[in-house]
Amino acid sequence: MISDADHLADSKEQKQESTEVALESHSEEELANRKQSRRKEIEGPIPHLSSAMSRPAHRRPEYHKINKDLFVLTYGALVAQLCKDYEKDEDVNKYLDKMGHGIGTRLVEDFLARSCVRRCHSYSEIIDIIAQVAFKMYLGITPSVACNNSSRNEFSLILDKNPLVEFVEELPAGRTSLCYCNLLCGIIRGALEMVHLDADVAFLQDRLKGDSVTEIGITFLKKPDEKKYRRKK
Amino acid sequence: MVDAVLFEFLHTEMVAELWAHEADPDPGPGEQKMNLLVLESMGFRVGQALGERLPRETLALREELDVLKFLCKDLWVAVFQKQMDSLRTNHQGTYVLQDSSFPLLIRMASGLQYVEEAPKFLAFTCGLLRGTLSTLGIKSLVTASVVALPACRFQVVVQRS
C-alpha cells in the first residue's frame, strides 16, 4: 500500500522512468468502430477474441453482466469502507444519504433528458413516475406504489427485487441498524429537491433487517408559501 | 439492468468526498479520510470481484501479454463501453495502457486545466486494474498519469516474486 502511494504521487517520475526503459510499441491498437470493428493483430492470432467482431463488443451478454455488477460491487465496497470509518450505524446511514443527495441532484438532469415525462399535476403522479420510469431506467426494477394517508402526501415504494443487495446475504455483525441502501433515499430526496419539492425519504421496512418487504417512505413536505403542485417539465 | 451511468455518478461522488475531506484540515477522531489509497483499495476489491465473474476462457489465458490485451479490449469495453487506445510493452513486465478519451475524465475538462485533480479520478480505476489482474494470477503495481485531459495513461508493472 505504501509503495502504491509513492507511485501515485510520483506520476511524473514514473513517466520518465518508462521512457528510459525503452518501451517498444509492438502493440498499437486502433480505435474500434461501433459498426465496423476492425482489429490489427498484435502478436499472432487470438481466436477467442476475434469472435467479438460479429456484433458490438459491449453488447455481448457477459459484458452486460460485468457492467451491471460494477455499480453493485462498487456500492458494496463503499458501504464496507464506511463501516470501517464510522462506528455508529446512524453515521453510516447519514453519510450514505448525503452522498445519495449529491448524486440525486445530478441524476435528475440525466433522467429528464432521457425520459419523456409529461407535466405532473399531483404528488401521486410524481411517485408513479419515480417508480415506473426512473427506477426502471436506472435499476431495472419497478417498485409498487402505495399511498399512506388521506391527505395524499405520504407514499410508499415497495421493492420486491433490489439489485443493490444482490451480493448481500445479511447485514454485517453488529450492524443491525444499518440501512444498506440508504443511498437510494438520498438520491430520491436530492432529485425531488432539484424540482423544488421537499420530501422526507427513509426506509420504513428492510428485508435485510428481517422485515418481510423492503419499503421506502416518501413524505412530501409543504413549504409555507408554496403554490399548489408547481412543477416545471 | 443497472444503468451504466449510475457507476459514473457514484464514482464522481466518491471523489468529491475526497475533495471535501482534503479541505477539512482536522478530521474528527476515528474518522479515516477517503483518500487516494482508500479509493485505490476499493477499486482493488471491485476488480477482484469482477475478475471472478469473467467468462471461463479468460481465466485460461496463460500468456501475460494476452491478459493485458484482454484488459485493454474486453474489460475496458465492459466497464467503459470503449476499448483502450493503445498498449505498449517492453516485454519485461512493464505495460503502458493509453486511453485518449477516458470516460471518467471527459466530464471534467479538456486540456491542461485540472490536471492536478485528475489523479483522484484515476485512483479507483488503477485499483480496478490491479484487482482484476490479481484474480487472473498476476501481481502488479498500477499507476496512472495525465498530461492533458481527457487522455490518460495507466502503467502496469508486473511483480515477479
Side-chain angles (χ1 to χ4, degrees):
Chain A
M1 268 302 144
I2 297 172
S3 50
D4 277 358
D6 285 343
H7 278 273
L8 281 168
D10 304 336
S11 51
K12 285 205 181 123
E13 274 182 33
Q14 282 288 336
K15 241 178 97 186
Q16 283 172 351
E17 255 181 41
S18 53
T19 44
E20 278 165 5
V21 166
L23 288 173
E24 300 156 328
S25 45
H26 270 245
S27 25
E28 290 288 335
E29 293 283 324
E30 292 180 44
L31 266 169
N33 190 302
R34 245 207 199 189
K35 296 197 178 128
Q36 291 171 343
S37 307
R38 188 171 72 78
R39 255 186 68 227
K40 230 169 35 174
E41 295 289 86
I42 308 159
E43 275 186 13
I46 309 169
H48 63 274
L49 286 181
S50 54
S51 60
M53 298 306 122
S54 51
R55 49 182 163 144
H58 64 277
R59 297 240 178 96
R60 287 172 74 191
E62 51 262 36
Y63 298 150
H64 260 186
K65 199 157 155 298
I66 293 177
N67 205 278
K68 161 179 91 85
D69 290 345
L70 178 65
F71 175 72
V72 174
L73 290 169
T74 304
Y75 186 69
L78 172 68
V79 176
Q81 183 61 42
L82 290 176
C83 286
K84 265 199 245 170
D85 291 348
Y86 298 102
E87 263 187 50
K88 293 205 205 139
D89 293 345
E90 299 85 69
D91 291 337
V92 179
N93 293 341
K94 239 183 6 186
Y95 204 91
L96 284 173
D97 184 84
K98 185 169 111 151
M99 286 184 74
H101 183 269
I103 293 174
T105 56
R106 287 194 297 277
L107 195 70
V108 70
E109 278 179 42
D110 182 80
F111 174 69
L112 291 175
R114 285 162 62 181
S115 63
C116 303
V117 289
R118 64 194 201 306
R119 179 189 283 263
C120 287
H121 298 286
S122 68
Y123 291 141
S124 68
E125 280 185 41
I126 294 170
I127 293 292
D128 283 342
I129 286 182
I130 293 176
Q132 289 157 20
V133 186
F135 264 84
K136 180 88 179 135
M137 181 185 290
Y138 292 110
L139 291 174
I141 55 171
T142 311
S144 47
V145 175
C147 181
N148 295 342
N149 69 346
S150 52
S151 48
R152 304 198 64 76
N153 69 324
E154 281 178 31
F155 296 87
S156 285
L157 295 174
I158 294 150
L159 278 69
D160 183 42
K161 277 194 299 182
N162 186 353
L164 282 184
V165 302
E166 191 178 321
F167 307 122
V168 181
E169 278 168 42
E170 54 180 13
L171 290 176
R175 290 280 179 189
T176 46
S177 313
L178 178 69
C179 291
Y180 185 85
C181 301
N182 224 31
L183 195 90
L184 291 181
C185 294
I187 291 180
I188 296 172
R189 194 169 59 82
L192 287 173
E193 202 175 285
M194 288 303 282
V195 292
H196 308 292
L197 289 166
D198 281 343
D200 276 337
V201 188
F203 276 93
L204 299 177
Q205 295 192 76
D206 193 342
R207 272 215 186 104
L208 282 179
K209 291 183 185 158
D211 298 316
S212 51
V213 291
T214 299
E215 185 183 345
I216 299 177
I218 303 176
T219 303
F220 289 96
L221 308 168
K222 282 199 164 51
K223 289 192 266 195
D225 56 345
E226 184 198 39
K227 269 195 209 158
K228 227 187 181 191
Y229 308 129
R230 192 182 75 193
R231 184 177 181 190
K232 212 90 162 86
K233 274 293 163 286
Chain B
M1 235 307 278
V2 174
D3 195 281
V5 82
L6 281 183
F7 169 70
E8 217 185 289
F9 278 112
L10 181 63
H11 179 266
T12 304
E13 198 59 35
M14 280 159 35
V15 174
E17 287 302 316
L18 178 104
W19 239 306
H21 278 136
E22 271 188 11
D24 173 18
D26 191 26
E31 189 182 312
Q32 199 183 352
K33 289 197 279 188
M34 178 96 77
N35 54 24
L36 286 177
L37 287 183
V38 171
L39 274 178
E40 205 270 352
S41 62
M42 282 173 64
F44 180 76
R45 285 177 64 153
V46 175
Q48 274 186 316
L50 278 186
E52 284 159 18
R53 282 160 179 73
L54 294 170
R56 285 200 177 271
E57 53 263 23
T58 54
L59 299 172
L61 289 173
R62 294 269 164 257
E63 292 291 324
E64 199 174 270
L65 184 61
D66 288 341
V67 174
L68 266 297
K69 281 186 247 174
F70 165 79
L71 287 190
C72 292
K73 293 171 162 326
D74 300 64
L75 185 78
W76 223 243
V77 167
V79 173
F80 297 115
Q81 290 84 53
K82 70 183 285 285
Q83 283 194 357
M84 189 78 74
D85 293 308
S86 90
L87 169 69
R88 299 172 66 185
T89 177
N90 65 351
H91 296 286
Q92 279 160 41
T94 299
Y95 301 85
V96 176
L97 292 67
Q98 187 144 346
D99 193 327
S100 61
S101 173
F102 188 53
L104 297 179
L105 288 178
I106 281 183
R107 288 185 199 231
M108 273 181 78
S110 117
L112 302 172
Q113 199 184 16
Y114 298 125
V115 165
E116 283 129 42
E117 318 293 352
K120 296 172 188 162
F121 284 85
L122 300 171
F124 184 89
T125 309
C126 286
L128 190 79
L129 283 169
R130 191 167 68 88
T132 310
L133 282 167
S134 162
T135 308
L136 294 172
I138 296 175
K139 193 155 172 256
S140 62
L141 279 178
V142 182
T143 56
S145 62
V146 173
V147 174
L149 279 74
C152 68
R153 213 175 259 183
F154 295 91
Q155 178 163 305
V156 177
V157 178
V158 176
Q159 313 285 290
R160 304 191 207 276
S161 45

